[in-house]
Amino acid sequence: MRAEFDGVTALRDVSLSIDEGEFFTLVGPSGCGKTTMLRSIAGLTDEAEGRVAIDGRDVTSAPPEARNVGMVFQNYALFPHMSVHENVAYGLRFHDLDGRTDDERVAELLDLVDLAGVADRSPEQLSGGQQQRIALARALAPEPDVLLLDEPLSALDARLRKRLRVQIKTIQQELDITTVYVTHDQAEALALSDRVAVMQDGRVEQVAAPESVYRNPASRFVAEFVGDNNLFDGTVTDDGAGVAVDGAALPLPAGSDRRPSESVTLAVRPEVIEIDDGAASADTTLAATVETVEFLGDAYRVHCRWRGRRIECKSTASAPPAGEVTLGFDADDAQVL
Ligand SMILES: Nc1ncnc2c1ncn2[C@@H]1O[C@H](COP(=O)(O)OP(=O)(O)OP(=O)(O)O)[C@@H](O)[C@H]1O
Ligand SMILES: [Mg+2]
């Protein structure tokens, strides 16, 4: 898929294949092309060039209503002058229910999103979270083959986002519906998805299961965008076994297979770095100074400085570390980019 708007390239040769029943997420920073990709699947972008097939059926030239996709948009898109019931029933306008009445189907859907009691209300009498659940019910009404969700939770507060994302996942699993979810929130993407496509600047940088994206990021961008990471840029030492960073040699993971003097980035997650006691047995130790400590509830985030550079670690000790500390990690817990 390619898309260009008056000289702005929104998608550069993006090719994705999504499995039946999969929860697939497009994640990336603002402007990277997520909405354009979703709208291309739905047939809502004239500027998109490429081919879309759903369930083996080529729908490239089919209008949106013939593609059998349901979509929930970023901003609440309920019709304000219609009741909840009418909003959900609107989703049925092109749909043949074989036997069931619209009323039965609407009741079924309101049950599904756990809002059976609000059918006669108008959207303005609902909270933001309830409105998005109604928007979801409306999108699901015609029994679409594919559900497209464009940042459905972005207007909600953090607590509600977490609660609703579990509900979306539960409904997705219950219906076993192929879902493409868009978010700029990497934590949300990791929490919900079977697979994640990390996008940047109209391109897909990596497509993989959340665990692989987190543990084996394919690029520097992915390593920085997904989760927290410490990145050490340097050059491979003459013996090929380490990377020279600010006058120190940090060992490379076994089997890295890098040439001497090649430029590489070593990525080390905060949670694999031990502080003081645990650091003694690690194969890489660094003498650092604690600068700031944040209490996270179940752990401390410890911001240190080592040779002029910041290093972020996580400590689950009962009291936070302070002053001069030894940081340690095993080379095999780091990734080379
Ligand atoms: N209708 C349009 N006209 C002109 N430019 C557009 C249009 N739609 C998108 N673009 C441009 O295409 C690029 C990708 O936009 P898109 O909306 O797909 O990004 P996004 O990843 O969804 O961002 P966000 O997270 O902010 O919603 C941006 O540079 C945007 O300005
Ligand atoms: Mg968008």
Side-chain angles (χ1 to χ4, degrees):
M1 193 61 67
R2 301 171 55 81
E4 197 169 306
F5 301 97
D6 327 307
V8 177
T9 307
L11 293 177
R12 307 167 197 266
D13 295 316
V14 173
S15 201
L16 293 170
S17 162
I18 296 158
D19 294 331
E20 202 174 331
E22 186 171 32
F23 197 116
F24 190 93
T25 298
L26 304 172
V27 65
S30 186
C32 72
K34 306 180 297 291
T35 295
T36 306
M37 188 67 214
L38 211 62
R39 292 176 63 90
S40 308
I41 299 171
L44 296 168
T45 297
D46 292 335
E47 287 80 357
E49 286 170 45
R51 210 174 69 81
V52 181
I54 298 174
D55 204 6
R57 183 168 57 95
D58 191 319
V59 296
T60 309
S61 49
E65 64 275 10
R67 295 189 179 200
N68 207 20
V69 300
M71 184 148 175
V72 175
F73 298 89
Q74 192 159 348
N75 303 310
Y76 314 130
L78 297 180
F79 302 113
H81 56 283
M82 291 186 189
S83 70
V84 164
H85 180 103
E86 288 163 340
N87 263 283
V88 177
Y90 183 85
L92 294 168
R93 69 201 181 287
F94 299 114
H95 192 68
D96 174 19
L97 281 171
D98 32 49
R100 280 171 303 166
T101 65
D102 279 13
D103 285 354
E104 282 165 355
R105 178 71 180 143
V106 170
E108 225 173 87
L109 287 155
L110 291 180
D111 244 5
L112 181 74
V113 297
D114 212 12
L115 281 174
V118 305
D120 298 327
R121 290 202 208 164
S122 71
E124 63 180 23
Q125 295 171 306
L126 300 177
S127 70
Q130 289 172 329
Q131 288 184 42
Q132 283 305 68
R133 278 145 73 193
I134 297 303
L136 179 63
R138 185 178 62 187
L140 289 170
E143 305 177 304
D145 294 325
V146 179
L147 178 62
L148 306 173
L149 303 169
D150 192 357
E151 311 226 19
L153 308 178
S154 64
L156 309 175
D157 69 61
R159 180 180 283 268
L160 190 56
R161 286 177 73 110
K162 274 196 180 163
R163 217 172 62 213
L164 263 190
R165 83 183 186 202
V166 176
Q167 201 171 12
I168 288 177
K169 178 79 179 175
T170 308
I171 291 171
Q172 186 267 339
Q173 287 175 330
E174 198 173 311
L175 301 178
D176 199 19
I177 184 169
T178 309
T179 300
V180 187
Y181 189 92
V182 161
T183 180
H184 61 264
D185 180 340
Q186 51 86 26
E188 196 168 282
L190 297 182
L192 282 171
S193 320
D194 294 316
R195 278 189 311 155
V196 176
V198 184
M199 294 183 67
Q200 185 200 17
D201 194 21
R203 286 192 187 84
V204 171
E205 295 258 327
Q206 185 170 13
V207 182
E211 292 84 351
S212 315
V213 169
Y214 189 86
R215 293 182 194 138
N216 298 303
S219 66
R220 186 191 176 91
F221 173 78
V222 176
E224 274 193 303
F225 186 77
V226 177
D228 297 314
N229 227 328
N230 297 291
L231 301 182
F232 299 93
D233 295 313
T235 49
V236 176
T237 52
D238 291 343
D239 62 3
V243 50
V245 179
D246 291 338
L250 308 180
L252 286 169
S256 296
D257 198 22
R258 299 292 169 138
R259 289 185 313 279
S261 73
E262 190 180 335
S263 296
V264 294
T265 300
L266 198 66
V268 187
R269 296 279 182 197
E271 66 270 23
V272 307
I273 302 178
E274 303 272 8
I275 305 176
D276 287 340
D277 291 350
S281 57
D283 57 25
T284 308
T285 55
L286 312 172
T289 313
V290 174
E291 288 197 324
T292 316
V293 174
E294 296 172 280
F295 181 50
L296 305 178
D298 58 348
Y300 293 96
R301 177 140 314 236
V302 186
H303 301 265
C304 302
R305 195 161 286 274
W306 171 74
R307 300 190 182 209
R309 146 198 307 274
R310 285 171 207 284
I311 299 183
E312 220 175 287
C313 340
K314 196 173 172 182
S315 167
T316 51
S318 52
E324 308 292 314
V325 291
T326 302
L327 306 181
F329 61 90
D330 286 325
D332 288 341
D333 289 334
Q335 296 117 21
V336 193
L337 305 170

